[in-house]
Amino acid sequence: MKSSGKSFGVDRREFLAATGTGLLAASMPNVAKGGTSSALGALSKSATESAAQASPGSLRKIPIGVFDPVYEKLSLDEMLDRVSALGLEAMEIGTGGYPGTGHCPIDELLADAGKAKAWKKKFEGRGIHVATLSCHGNPVHPDDKHAAHDRESFRKTVLLAERLDVPVIVGFSGCPGGTPTDTQPNWITYRWPPEYAEMQDWQWKEKVVPYWKEAAKFAREHGVHRIALEMHPNFVVYNPRTLMKLREAVGEEIGANCDLSHLFWQGCDPVEVIHFLGKQKAVFHAHMKDTVLFPENVEKYGVLNFASQLADLPQASETFRAVGYGHGASLWKSVVKAYMDIGYEGILSIENEDPILPGSVGVERAAWVLKNVRSELLGS
């Protein structure tokens, strides 16, 4: 997730772009081997059947869009020209937190309804729908200043969504410390030794659930009923089970931003995830981003092996790729079909953090794959 100038975190996109050469070298042996490992990257039986049973007459054409931080160096008009030229139909726009506000002067738009209307009209004039507003941050951070900054970003985003009639807000669940005196977040995924279970229970009871109950109530009061939380490492919601745990505690305003790139490396079957969450009416948004796993490194080091230093990149177990460059088009066809199957009402939002196909190049490649598999499914 791109970090704004005011962010308290590390900018992952800049890190990946800076280390792209090393990752390219690390990935080359795997191209010959077919990319991902058979255990984690294989197309499931259900995914194959889902693609094979497509019935074009009953399928909804899901709009394909893009998340705007990838165009951070372009002005709003330049970005819209670029997106329009690609034939994309929708956009996800950053309104604070890690994505920043580079294309959305949120304070101005909240202060002046006329400016907000004119801003939205720029998109509509090019046939682009503003589908979601994104304010990924950590609203339960143990640092009060950090938490307050991200809570305010969420509050403003809700108000702007109400003004612009945008139905979905995207973000992170956040992660608190493990005790009242901690100054940094503590991501706990394993409940032993017992003190870790105590800390995790405290996080959910005292910090996570109370905040999101309040946030969901505020959103509901302003006509926003879909808060799409990205299942992401280092936050308390990081897989479908933790998402549903929060939804059950807070209410139906909580749903998923289903970014499969964070689920591939956890061993999730993408079609199973979509169908599972779809049955709960809990899929509110979808990031389109792929992951490649390097089998020989997964076998030696496991999947919890994202490189943190340049010298470690040849030993990386996985990295992000553009759609179709971690898993084949047949799997992505099954993914799009699964979204159609569940009656998903959102967009397919391309988020490019590919270190080998950076920036707009990765967006173009992903858009090409998605448009082609969608056309095949619709028979057009």
Side-chain angles (χ1 to χ4, degrees):
M1 180 55 54
K2 172 71 175 65
S3 173
S4 69
K6 295 182 180 179
S7 169
F8 296 80
V10 176
D11 187 327
R12 186 173 69 198
R13 186 175 281 107
E14 288 184 5
F15 167 73
L16 289 173
T19 57
T21 304
L23 284 167
L24 177 59
S27 71
M28 289 303 290
N30 299 287
V31 174
K33 295 179 182 181
T36 59
S37 69
S38 59
L40 294 177
L43 183 62
S44 70
K45 180 181 178 182
S46 63
T48 305
E49 291 174 347
S50 178
Q53 295 172 359
S55 53
S58 62
L59 302 180
R60 170 183 177 260
K61 181 179 180 180
I62 303 175
I64 298 170
V66 63
F67 189 16
D68 76 310
V70 71
Y71 297 117
E72 62 182 346
K73 294 182 180 179
L74 300 181
S75 69
L76 175 60
D77 287 328
E78 290 170 335
M79 176 185 73
L80 292 176
D81 287 342
R82 183 76 60 88
V83 172
S84 178
L86 287 175
L88 298 179
E89 301 134 335
M91 289 204 71
E92 173 185 356
I93 300 294
T95 54
Y98 297 113
T101 59
H103 299 115
C104 180
I106 190 166
D107 290 331
E108 291 182 23
L109 303 188
L110 288 175
D112 189 327
K115 286 186 178 180
K117 183 177 180 180
W119 181 85
K120 188 178 181 182
K121 194 170 182 179
K122 283 179 176 285
F123 292 82
E124 294 172 343
R126 294 171 173 82
I128 299 169
H129 173 54
V130 180
T132 54
L133 302 178
S134 292
C135 55
H136 301 70
N138 189 350
V140 293
H141 196 288
D143 182 294
D144 289 340
K145 184 178 179 181
H146 189 145
H149 177 269
D150 290 344
R151 290 182 183 212
E152 180 64 5
S153 290
F154 177 82
R155 189 189 72 83
K156 289 180 179 179
T157 300
V158 168
L159 296 177
L160 185 61
E162 179 183 32
R163 169 161 286 181
L164 298 176
D165 195 26
V166 173
V168 181
I169 290 175
V170 184
F172 291 138
S173 61
C175 184
T179 72
T181 59
D182 285 358
T183 60
Q184 293 294 336
N186 190 339
W187 186 42
I188 302 167
T189 62
Y190 197 76
R191 291 173 61 82
W192 194 91
E195 58 266 31
Y196 288 90
E198 293 174 7
M199 287 191 291
Q200 190 181 59
D201 290 342
W202 177 85
Q203 288 179 322
W204 280 79
K205 181 180 179 181
E206 301 297 331
K207 295 295 181 178
V208 178
V209 172
Y211 168 72
W212 282 109
K213 280 187 174 180
E214 176 187 342
K217 180 176 181 290
F218 180 77
R220 186 166 57 248
E221 290 171 348
H222 290 275
V224 177
H225 301 282
R226 295 186 178 187
I227 302 170
L229 298 181
E230 186 167 339
M231 297 171 282
H232 193 291
N234 283 330
F235 298 109
V236 296
V237 168
Y238 60 92
N239 63 13
R241 185 177 179 186
T242 49
L243 176 80
M244 293 308 299
K245 178 181 177 180
L246 187 60
R247 180 180 169 92
E248 289 164 5
V250 172
E252 293 185 354
E253 284 79 18
I254 300 297
N257 167 26
C258 201
D259 186 331
L260 298 174
S261 71
H262 305 301
L263 303 182
F264 284 130
W265 64 265
Q266 294 185 59
C268 294
D269 180 297
V271 172
E272 291 297 328
V273 167
I274 295 166
H275 284 168
F276 167 70
L277 294 175
K279 288 178 181 177
Q280 317 300 321
K281 307 294 184 184
V283 180
F284 294 165
H285 189 56
H287 272 173
M288 295 288 104
K289 187 172 66 182
D290 212 338
T291 297
V292 63
L293 292 100
F294 306 131
E296 71 277 16
N297 290 336
V298 171
E299 291 165 3
K300 287 185 291 186
Y301 309 127
V303 296
L304 296 177
N305 181 38
F306 288 88
S308 59
Q309 297 181 21
L310 183 62
D312 295 333
L313 290 174
Q315 284 79 46
S317 294
E318 62 274 307
T319 192
F320 298 120
R321 294 305 315 265
V323 170
Y325 287 79
H327 298 80
S330 60
L331 183 136
W332 284 100
K333 183 176 179 179
S334 299
V335 165
V336 175
K337 173 61 164 53
Y339 283 123
M340 292 176 175
D341 286 341
I342 66 169
Y344 171 57
E345 297 178 351
I347 69 170
L348 305 175
S349 182
I350 297 167
E351 181 188 28
N352 189 51
E353 294 178 335
D354 188 322
I356 300 167
L357 298 171
S360 60
V361 176
V363 174
E364 292 169 9
R365 302 290 179 85
W368 186 87
V369 173
L370 290 171
K371 284 194 277 188
N372 275 278
V373 300
R374 185 181 67 178
S375 293
E376 289 181 13
L377 288 166
L378 296 174
S380 60

